[in-house]
Amino acid sequence: MEKRIYGNITAFYALSLSEFHMNFHSHKSNEIMYVTSGQCTVHTKDSTHSLGNNQFIFIRSHVPHRLEINPDKPCSILNLEFSFTNKGDIPLEGLLERSADFKEFWKSIPSCFYGSDSRDLGYALKDLISHIQRFTVKDDFLLELLMSRTMVELAFSITSRRNDTGLRYLRKACGYIDKNLHSDIKIPEIASYVGISRSYLQALFSEGIGCSITEYATRKRMEEAVFLLVNSTLKIIDIAFAVGYNSRQHFAHTFEKIYGMGPYSYRKTHMKILEADTEQKRFTIEDKQISSHILN
């Protein structure tokens, strides 16, 4: 059965501002801020984004944010605030069936998304806002078409950019984790470093790698622990500390959960022993067998 979706427009404007500073606030509607010229900065609790020509930010309902425009860089903005409901003024049924981009957007509506206009979002917003300014009649078929077009263009910009940009964000986050593997890694710090919200970052890991951020960090630590168990004579407690664990028990429990045996048993089963070269021979390791080749 087709899902019933309606759009309710709660606020809109098309303004040129020379200076503007607002306090953090949130509202029940989703919001699009689109820069047609100039520059502005949008702050959320998790990130800060600078918007230039033909760039936009989508902010989901109830997400705290604030807009800042400095006098040395005036800005012209298109703004639309709207909500999705199961009944309302503008019927949008059919979008889930007819638009693959909107269907993907609907499955995972971001709490905050910043990006560039990938196609015609700016034109769609201009036409929609211009129409609203001139007409206030409900059940307006043209309003339905213009709103549907805006939603499709929004979805296209988000989904097309999310795939490319998301991969870049994911790589940056993984790089940060790899470099700080021996420290106490906190998700808000990773999100701040990458420049996106925690919820979006967690979604990227889930969709791109198939695990949570914490699971990824744990996996990388265990991979390093395996290398040290097999290729060094470090004590297990020292290996635990080396890969970022303050407790041998916690380390052993986590290791066994992943590999099905404790670190001591794993070392006993897989450790490779290399004898010292005392006769100018080269030793290579092949499983548990050591083969030597006389050096010329």
Side-chain angles (χ1 to χ4, degrees), residues 32-222:
I32 304 171
M33 280 187 273
Y34 186 105
V35 174
T36 57
S37 65
Q39 185 174 325
C40 70
T41 302
V42 178
H43 304 271
T44 68
K45 293 294 185 180
D46 297 322
S47 59
T48 297
H49 300 287
S50 294
L51 277 66
N53 293 359
N54 301 319
Q55 292 185 316
F56 74 96
I57 189 166
F58 169 83
I59 302 170
R60 195 168 182 175
S61 59
H62 304 292
V63 174
H65 61 280
R66 69 181 182 91
L67 172 65
E68 183 178 7
I69 299 175
N70 294 319
D72 57 331
K73 294 180 180 178
C75 187
S76 296
I77 297 178
L78 298 174
N79 181 279
L80 181 71
E81 295 178 19
F82 62 96
S83 60
F84 294 119
T85 61
N86 57 9
K87 61 180 181 178
D89 300 331
I90 308 171
L92 299 175
E93 58 247 36
L95 286 182
L96 288 175
E97 181 180 340
R98 299 177 184 178
S99 172
D101 295 318
F102 187 82
K103 185 176 182 179
E104 183 177 345
F105 164 77
W106 186 261
K107 286 193 302 183
S108 180
I109 300 177
S111 59
C112 179
F113 183 90
Y114 153 83
S116 298
D117 188 350
S118 298
R119 193 166 60 188
D120 292 320
L121 177 59
Y123 290 113
L125 280 169
K126 286 178 183 177
D127 290 343
L128 175 60
I129 291 173
S130 176
H131 181 78
I132 299 170
Q133 288 173 331
R134 289 180 293 168
F135 303 96
T136 58
V137 180
K138 292 186 177 181
D139 301 322
D140 182 352
F141 180 60
L142 182 54
L143 178 62
E144 178 186 336
L145 292 177
L146 292 172
M147 183 65 174
S148 296
R149 176 194 178 197
T150 300
M151 293 300 99
V152 169
E153 291 297 340
L154 172 67
F156 177 80
S157 288
I158 289 179
T159 54
S160 62
R161 292 291 297 172
R162 181 161 53 188
N163 293 335
D164 295 336
T165 308
L167 181 59
R168 177 166 55 84
Y169 286 148
L170 189 59
R171 287 173 176 168
K172 189 174 181 180
C174 289
Y176 179 89
I177 292 172
D178 293 346
K179 290 179 182 178
N180 296 276
L181 204 58
H182 304 156
S183 305
D184 182 17
I185 299 174
K186 297 180 179 178
I187 294 176
E189 293 176 358
I190 304 172
S192 177
Y193 173 79
V194 176
I196 58 178
S197 68
R198 286 175 289 179
S199 59
Y200 181 36
L201 181 63
Q202 289 168 333
L204 288 177
F205 270 82
S206 179
E207 296 171 8
I209 302 180
C211 65
S212 68
I213 301 169
T214 302
E215 288 170 341
Y216 174 82
T218 299
R219 183 191 304 172
K220 298 298 290 186
R221 284 171 171 154
M222 290 300 106

Side-chain angles (χ1 to χ4, degrees), residues 7-8 14 28-29 64 144 154 183 200 209 243 257 267 290:
N8 290 317
K28 295 180 180 180
S29 301
E144 178 186 336
L154 172 67
S183 305
Y200 181 36
I209 302 180
V243 299
K257 187 176 180 181
R267 166 175 272 177
I290 300 177

